[in-house]
Amino acid sequence: MPKQTLAVLTEKFTIHSLPVNSEIPEQVLNSSLYFIGKTHEELSIVVPETVIIDSDESDTDWCVLEVLGPLQLSMVGIMAQIGNVLANAKISIFIVSTFETDFFLVKQKDLKAATVALEQDGYKVIL
């Protein structure tokens, strides 16, 4: 099977951590792209840096590499293979997924190294 194509989104993103019982801010829901994850301990929200929310903690300067899909849920190893390439390049990642694709977040300072590592491993990266 040929390797996937990834596209770098133009916006930079922030990862927020909020108390588990927090309401989701309206500006998040009005954002062009967002990801929400909730566990028994916390609420995590990923939004473009232009969306300002009051959170307990936040981490800025994340770039998004979108695996162009749609991917089938039955496909095996896509996330692991891309994750291994980035791990071997010593690049930290934060991953979010949807029904049709995966999004790999890397720090802006690591974006160039990430694209080089992926391209050297046979992936196509659209900047």
Side-chain angles (χ1 to χ4, degrees):
M1 167 170 48
K3 295 196 175 181
Q4 288 70 39
T5 298
L6 296 94
V8 178
L9 303 186
T10 56
E11 296 175 287
K12 302 298 175 273
F13 286 76
T14 300
I15 302 167
H16 295 274
S17 178
L18 291 87
V20 67
N21 293 323
S22 297
E23 299 236 356
I24 298 168
E26 185 176 332
Q27 61 269 36
V28 170
L29 300 175
N30 290 328
S31 176
S32 61
L33 183 68
Y34 60 87
F35 300 95
I36 299 171
K38 183 176 179 179
T39 67
H40 296 291
E41 290 83 33
E42 68 154 334
L43 173 67
S44 291
I45 300 176
V46 180
V47 288
E49 284 186 346
T50 56
V51 177
I52 307 301
I53 62 175
D54 185 22
S55 58
D56 288 350
E57 286 186 68
S58 62
D59 197 345
T60 62
D61 294 323
W62 290 90
C63 296
V64 174
L65 294 155
E66 176 184 357
V67 181
L68 298 182
L71 304 175
Q72 302 301 315
L73 291 176
S74 60
M75 296 175 82
V76 176
I78 304 296
M79 197 181 312
Q81 291 167 2
I82 294 170
N84 282 336
V85 170
L86 297 173
N88 288 336
K90 307 284 189 256
I91 297 170
S92 296
I93 58 175
F94 186 93
I95 303 171
V96 291
S97 297
T98 68
F99 191 86
E100 294 187 347
T101 195
D102 300 315
F103 296 81
F104 288 80
L105 284 75
V106 301
K107 286 297 217 167
Q108 182 171 353
K109 67 179 181 56
D110 296 325
L111 181 61
K112 177 69 174 164
T115 59
V116 168
L118 289 164
E119 288 173 339
Q120 287 177 345
D121 201 68
Y123 292 92
K124 180 177 181 184
V125 180
I126 301 170
L127 299 172

